[in-house]
Amino acid sequence: MSEPLLAVTDLRKSFGALAVTDGVSFDVHGNELHAIIGPNGAGKTTLIHQLSGNLASDSGTVRFAGEDITKHSMVDRVRRGLARSFQITSILDGFTVLENAAMAVQARSGSSFRFLRPASKESPLNDEARAALARVKLDDRAHRRAGSLSHGEKRQLEIAIALATGAKLLLLDEPLAGTGHEESAVLVALMQELKLTHTIVLIEHDMDAVFALADRVSVLVYGRLIATGTPEEVRAHPEVRAAYLGEEEAA
Amino acid sequence: MSAGTSNVAVPGAVPDVAPRRGGMLAGRGSALAAALIFAALAVLPPIALAIGDPFLVVTATRILVFAIAALSLDLVLGYGAMVSFGHAAFVGLGAYAVAILASHGIDDILVQALAAIGVSALFALVTGAISLRTKGVYFIMITLAFGQMAYFFMVSLSAYGGDDGLTLSARSTLFGLPVLSSDVSLFYVSLAVLASAFLGLRALTLSRFGRVLRGTRENPIRMQAIGFQPFAFQLTAYVIAGALAGLAGVLLANQAEFVSPAYMSWQRSGELIVMVVLGGMGTLVGPIGGAIAFLLLEDWLAHFSEHWKLGLGVLLVLLVLFTRGGIAGGVERLFGRARP
């Protein structure tokens, strides 16, 4: 079998005596959608911070596309094709929707130490940005101020920005957080399409969405992965049912 | 921070096309306001002569010089979100470059200006690289500390006047010609520098570089997540601003025909911050208006009482309370579109 796109081995992170990531290992293969689920406080967000380079790991390794990126900064990881979205929407409210995406294109399109020409008029940047917006169905909002979008649209823009970085692998941190029923249906349909072109690590609370989208699911409880497998395997796993799904049996 | 953030949308509602951050005065309105200010200034010398008050030109030149310094601080403070409390040091270094070179017989303005820009850019590069390792109130403190270091260095430099400062025997020359000897020519040179600096910084803030700087102001983590390292951009902005402030110092030395460490004191740095905030951060035209308003108020209030700063304080409090976004914000609210 070919080398996985993302290989995480024995990753650890402690805050004082509290082991928040406690020996996590998993692989993500190309064009796979790998979901990571877990109850509140399981350490999902810490893990994604470690994967994206926002937070340094205490030990363990993260390999991406055959390269050890454990010590790489967030900026270096993005440049290699590992982009993340944020659980708490962190788009640039004061810029237009198009500029939010165009800025991500700009980051990988030549030097940004250019001082005279207006950036918002650079067609190559805007064209690629529009393509990313089209993939999340936001192209008709291109010239709106990002801060004026609805919550669901902001979540779509989060994904468009990650796409616009030219990423191979998207780390999506609870893309459905705070969305209503209709909004989340739009986002799930969107991720179905993204699956065809991108490898995705999806951290998500919404079990319906996870079981509908994921090729494989890993379950994180108190910083440890207690199970990894297909949605059916994970659903049937006794430890998972005890630790986690029990509380959401209604789902 | 500045105006233009009040446009909070009701989910589902569809407001008009996005106004640019900073609203009207960051767009075409800013260019119009600046053009009006520059035009009014350009006709000032003949009017001053006509009404028999040539000293007005001297006062106006001083205002222009501080407007350039405030404009440069706006790049750091308003666009870079770096609260630098040592900006007067760059002005002082520029002024000393003129005085020290002149005391060694080097009068040419081009040589002096190059030296001033070089020295203040280098000082900005070194102190900025260290200061930018810190954030928030520590950044304020460390820039203040570097400013004070420059101040005390000049105080202790007795060969060049120390605490008493240094008087210039004459203004700078250009290829041996005394082109700046008249107050009116110095005024127009200063106005030209101000207008060029405004146009240059305006282009810069809209460029790729400026867009990264504005994005970093809003959300540095987001900028890193798409692949930008904010440090290099912030440091570059700091150096550009330092160099421009140094150029303001060259004009200040010529205007006063005197330099002293007082130019670099932390009170001066504070006044520059007041000019930027008073005028409206992150608007470029605002700080020019802020410098004009501050220095005119200083002049005017000083007629009434030696405690004029008390009156200035009251005015500042009122401005901050009632015109979010300073003078530029107030003008925008008067003439700008009604917000939903």
Side-chain angles (χ1 to χ4, degrees):
Chain A
M1 192 158 192
S2 66
E3 194 179 355
L5 185 59
L6 181 74
V8 179
T9 314
D10 199 25
L11 204 64
R12 290 174 191 276
K13 179 74 193 178
S14 299
F15 294 111
L18 183 68
V20 181
T21 305
D22 194 4
V24 168
S25 302
F26 66 98
D27 290 343
V28 180
H29 294 276
N31 291 327
E32 180 185 27
L33 192 150
H34 193 122
I36 295 173
I37 61 171
N40 281 327
K44 300 189 295 290
T45 294
T46 301
L47 181 60
I48 212 165
H49 280 329
Q50 286 174 270
L51 296 181
S52 65
N54 211 358
L55 196 63
S57 299
D58 296 341
S59 65
T61 57
V62 180
R63 293 177 68 79
F64 179 69
E67 189 185 5
D68 187 345
I69 58 162
T70 316
K71 304 277 183 228
H72 286 33
S73 67
M74 181 146 67
V75 170
D76 285 338
R77 293 181 199 209
V78 183
R79 292 199 176 139
R80 280 170 173 74
L82 180 77
R84 69 168 295 180
S85 74
F86 289 87
Q87 180 185 348
I88 297 161
T89 308
S90 69
I91 55 176
L92 302 169
D93 280 347
F95 290 77
T96 64
V97 171
L98 184 66
E99 276 201 286
N100 265 277
M103 198 111 64
V105 179
Q106 181 187 324
R108 60 181 165 86
S109 312
S111 173
S112 279
F113 286 90
R114 296 185 194 167
F115 300 92
L116 293 176
R117 199 171 147 214
S120 63
K121 296 198 174 115
E122 287 195 46
S123 325
L125 300 186
N126 290 343
D127 292 346
E128 280 199 62
R130 263 198 199 88
L133 292 177
R135 288 214 59 183
V136 303
K137 317 273 186 283
L138 268 186
D139 36 342
D140 58 334
R141 296 278 190 272
H143 294 289
R144 288 266 303 270
R145 192 172 154 272
S148 75
L149 294 178
S150 73
H151 179 73
E153 289 170 334
K154 285 181 181 173
R155 305 304 304 177
Q156 286 163 256
L157 180 55
E158 271 281 335
I159 295 172
I161 293 169
L163 279 175
T165 64
K168 284 183 275 202
L169 189 147
L170 303 171
L171 294 168
L172 303 181
D173 189 3
E174 300 205 19
L176 304 181
T179 55
H181 193 69
E182 278 171 39
E183 289 172 332
S184 77
V186 170
L187 285 159
V188 168
L190 225 153
M191 283 186 272
Q192 292 280 16
E193 283 178 35
L194 286 184
K195 264 181 74 171
L196 304 173
T197 51
H198 287 76
T199 308
I200 298 173
V201 173
L202 171 69
I203 297 215
E204 189 45 73
H205 248 330
D206 184 326
M207 287 305 120
D208 290 341
V210 166
F211 287 118
L213 287 166
D215 299 308
R216 286 199 298 159
V217 180
S218 289
V219 184
L220 190 69
V221 177
Y222 295 123
R224 291 168 178 275
L225 285 187
I226 60 167
T228 296
T230 63
E232 291 71 32
E233 285 164 3
V234 164
R235 219 193 265 270
H237 197 287
E239 237 184 296
V240 176
R241 297 185 73 90
Y244 184 47
L245 291 177
E247 63 184 78
E248 305 217 0
E249 202 51 45
Chain B
M1 180 181 299
S2 77
T5 51
S6 55
N7 196 358
V8 179
V10 182
V14 184
D16 58 342
V17 164
R20 211 189 290 282
R21 189 194 167 89
M24 180 185 85
L25 281 177
R28 237 173 259 128
S30 136
L32 181 67
L36 287 174
I37 291 174
F38 295 151
L41 284 165
V43 297
L44 189 117
I47 292 174
L49 286 180
I51 62 172
D53 190 0
F55 192 73
L56 211 55
V57 177
V58 176
T59 309
T61 306
R62 198 176 127 77
I63 289 176
L64 289 174
V65 169
F66 281 100
I68 297 166
L71 191 62
S72 71
L73 181 60
D74 194 28
L75 180 64
V76 169
L77 188 65
Y79 290 90
M82 299 172 271
V83 185
S84 166
F85 211 143
H87 207 65
F90 303 113
V91 179
L93 286 173
Y96 266 100
V98 172
I100 291 174
L101 284 175
S103 75
H104 292 286
I106 301 168
D107 290 327
D108 194 273
I109 183 95
L110 293 180
V111 177
Q112 291 173 341
L114 273 177
I117 288 171
V119 168
S120 42
L122 186 67
F123 187 68
L125 181 67
V126 174
T127 61
I130 298 167
S131 306
L132 279 168
R133 308 270 165 210
T134 66
K135 295 262 174 293
V137 79
Y138 298 100
F139 183 84
I140 302 176
M141 285 293 121
I142 199 165
T143 50
L144 171 66
F146 279 126
Q148 289 300 94
M149 275 169 60
Y151 170 81
F152 283 112
F153 178 75
M154 287 309 172
V155 166
S156 65
L157 207 62
S158 49
Y160 299 107
D163 212 2
D164 297 330
L166 202 57
T167 304
L168 274 69
S169 54
R171 284 185 182 158
S172 306
T173 59
L174 182 66
F175 306 127
L177 300 170
V179 288
L180 298 180
S181 58
S182 95
D183 288 337
V184 171
S185 65
L186 182 64
F187 172 88
Y188 279 115
V189 167
S190 303
L191 182 59
V193 172
L194 176 64
S196 315
F198 172 79
L199 290 174
L201 287 185
R202 195 176 144 75
L204 181 138
T205 54
L206 295 172
S207 72
R208 279 189 173 209
F209 174 83
R211 183 153 80 171
V212 177
L213 201 61
R214 286 181 287 129
T216 304
R217 166 180 72 184
E218 240 185 83
N219 189 339
I221 299 291
R222 157 56 72 199
M223 297 306 281
Q224 287 173 53
I226 60 175
F228 290 112
Q229 203 61 266
F231 176 81
F233 294 90
Q234 291 181 314
L235 182 59
T236 304
Y238 197 75
V239 170
I240 293 171
L244 183 55
L247 193 57
V250 172
L251 297 170
L252 182 62
N254 274 289
Q255 187 267 336
E257 296 180 53
F258 170 72
V259 298
S260 94
Y263 290 176
M264 315 168 96
S265 70
W266 66 271
Q267 288 94 332
R268 276 281 168 222
S269 294
E271 285 172 13
L272 288 174
I273 294 178
V274 169
M275 289 172 196
V276 172
V277 175
L278 181 69
M281 287 184 286
T283 60
L284 295 182
V285 71
I288 295 175
I292 296 172
F294 182 90
L295 293 169
L296 286 181
L297 278 173
E298 189 183 72
D299 254 18
W300 181 59
L301 290 172
H303 284 304
F304 295 103
S305 152
E306 57 185 296
H307 303 297
W308 63 272
K309 281 193 173 163
L310 186 66
L312 186 68
V314 172
L315 271 170
L316 259 181
V317 169
L318 291 177
L319 259 164
V320 169
L321 279 181
F322 293 107
T323 70
R324 213 158 33 91
I327 297 172
V331 170
E332 187 175 327
R333 244 171 293 280
L334 278 178
F335 297 105
R337 78 197 98 207
R339 290 272 151 85

